[in-house]
Amino acid sequence: MEIFTHISDVKNYIHVKKIIGREIGFVPTMGALHEGHLSLIRASKNKELLTTASIFVNPAQFGPNEDFNKYPRPIEEDIELLKSVNCDVLFLPSVEEMYPEKAAVQMTMPLYTQKYEGEHRKGHFEGVMLVVAKLFNIVSPDVAFFGQKDFQQCAVVKQMVKDLSFPVKIEIIPTVREADGLAMSSRNRYLSAEERKKAVGIYQTLVYTKGLVQHEKNVENLIRHAYIYIEKFGFTQIDYIDIVQADTLQTLHIAEKENNPVMLITARCGTTRLLDNMYLYEN
Ligand code: PAF
């Protein structure tokens, strides 16, 4: 695996590969890699793309009271994991390389960022759009892979690519889960043994609602039942539970198959925020 820390070096390397006809698959990450990330690398490798991962803990997407400083950075472990799935290239820039000075450009997308993560993490998606746009310009991928777990992020990135005509195809890969159903996340490693047991409550609430939707289509009722169901797990706080139309993220009133409803849940387990989602009609 080739490892680059400088923008000019990774750009040159990819430029040469493109000239000889290679197509580039890109998996942007913040490191602390797990099976979820590796499934994105595998998806890219399966398409025979020259697979490039980036590891960059992007300060621009963390709020002042968030976990930027304590975000896990097990870089040696990450490199071994990437090698184990035959990742071709790793771009591993420093903060100074990515932001030699504070970016003057600000990216906003009110359409998709006023609710859910955008409401609870002010400025988060502005930071995500900035870094993803920058990374796309550096890596110039033909296909970029994102995990479904960050459902709202997927909608924001897809819209950004459409509006700004980035020549990249976005592929969304299903969430990878632990044996008990907990969605894999770099932040799961913050959970104590006690919190880890509770954490599965999010997945169980999604599955419960998916069962319920067979005979209850009223979204208000479904959400009320979900709040009652999740209570027993003892989360510190439920940030939101909602059912939205998958493509527009608009809240639904009736959860019918034709509307392609997705349930979004974010809850805090101790101080750790956990996100998950599920299509209510998919197998
Ligand atoms: O999903 C993530 O890990 C990050 O938001 C991303 C897309 C790598 C941008 O920093």
Side-chain angles (χ1 to χ4, degrees):
M1 184 171 71
E2 302 285 343
I3 303 180
F4 298 100
T5 53
H6 292 291
I7 294 174
S8 53
D9 293 339
V10 75
K11 263 189 152 174
N12 287 341
Y13 183 84
I14 287 175
H15 180 68
V16 170
K17 293 292 176 188
K18 286 203 152 196
I19 288 175
I20 61 166
R22 291 304 305 269
E23 289 198 316
I24 313 299
F26 181 41
V27 179
T29 83
M30 297 206 302
L33 304 179
H34 49 70
E35 266 304 313
H37 297 110
L38 301 188
S39 74
L40 307 181
I41 303 278
R42 286 193 194 99
S44 174
K45 293 291 295 184
N46 284 343
K47 289 181 181 289
E48 299 187 355
L49 301 167
L50 183 91
T51 300
T52 301
S54 64
I55 296 181
F56 179 61
V57 186
N58 172 35
Q61 69 187 75
F62 288 78
N65 300 319
E66 294 187 25
D67 55 347
F68 175 70
N69 285 327
K70 80 162 195 184
Y71 198 84
R73 292 165 171 86
I75 189 63
E76 296 305 325
E77 216 176 280
D78 284 350
I79 289 174
E80 288 315 309
L81 283 172
L82 290 173
K83 284 182 180 167
S84 75
V85 287
N86 299 320
C87 182
D88 299 296
V89 179
L90 169 60
F91 178 47
L92 182 64
S94 64
V95 172
E96 294 70 36
E97 181 72 8
M98 287 296 276
Y99 302 116
E101 55 202 34
K102 193 175 182 299
V105 165
Q106 288 189 356
M107 301 182 72
T108 59
M109 191 187 290
L111 177 66
Y112 286 138
T113 65
Q114 280 178 343
K115 288 165 87 175
Y116 315 120
E117 289 312 282
E119 186 181 350
H120 288 268
R121 303 185 66 189
K122 294 278 182 235
H124 171 68
F125 285 119
E126 288 71 7
V128 169
M129 281 188 278
L130 182 67
V131 82
V132 172
K134 247 174 116 70
L135 289 166
F136 282 178
N137 282 331
I138 294 165
V139 173
S140 48
D142 296 281
V143 188
F145 298 82
F146 290 82
Q148 188 196 313
K149 187 180 83 69
D150 295 304
F151 200 84
Q152 194 175 9
Q153 172 170 280
C154 293
V156 168
V157 169
K158 279 196 279 186
Q159 190 66 37
M160 181 187 81
V161 161
K162 196 168 155 196
D163 285 355
L164 300 183
S165 306
F166 276 100
V168 51
K169 183 170 183 279
I170 302 298
E171 291 245 345
I172 309 300
I173 305 298
T175 304
V176 178
R177 300 182 178 282
E178 302 285 355
D180 65 356
L182 175 67
M184 289 203 185
S185 161
S186 304
R187 289 188 170 96
N188 288 352
R189 58 181 86 194
Y190 296 153
L191 298 170
S192 68
E194 190 64 22
E195 289 166 350
R196 173 64 187 82
K197 279 189 210 145
K198 292 179 188 176
V200 71
I202 299 182
Y203 172 72
Q204 290 193 1
T205 306
L206 292 167
V207 171
Y208 165 77
T209 309
K210 191 171 170 166
L212 212 57
V213 82
Q214 299 305 321
H215 47 89
E216 171 63 87
K217 313 266 182 234
N218 182 292
V219 166
E220 208 177 303
N221 290 341
L222 287 166
I223 292 176
R224 190 164 43 79
H225 284 298
Y227 271 102
I228 294 168
Y229 188 86
I230 206 168
E231 204 181 287
K232 67 174 180 223
F233 296 96
F235 285 97
T236 320
Q237 187 178 313
I238 309 298
D239 280 358
Y240 53 83
I241 299 182
D242 207 355
I243 295 176
V244 299
Q245 203 283 330
D247 301 314
T248 62
L249 295 191
Q250 292 299 309
T251 303
L252 290 167
H253 298 293
I254 303 293
E256 275 168 336
K257 195 171 181 186
E258 305 74 67
N259 296 330
N260 202 9
V262 178
M263 178 169 248
L264 309 175
I265 301 184
T266 295
R268 290 172 205 237
C269 212
T271 52
T272 307
R273 285 182 86 242
L274 299 173
L275 280 73
D276 203 349
N277 63 79
M278 194 174 275
Y279 284 93
L280 292 182
Y281 284 94
E282 217 175 50
N283 292 329

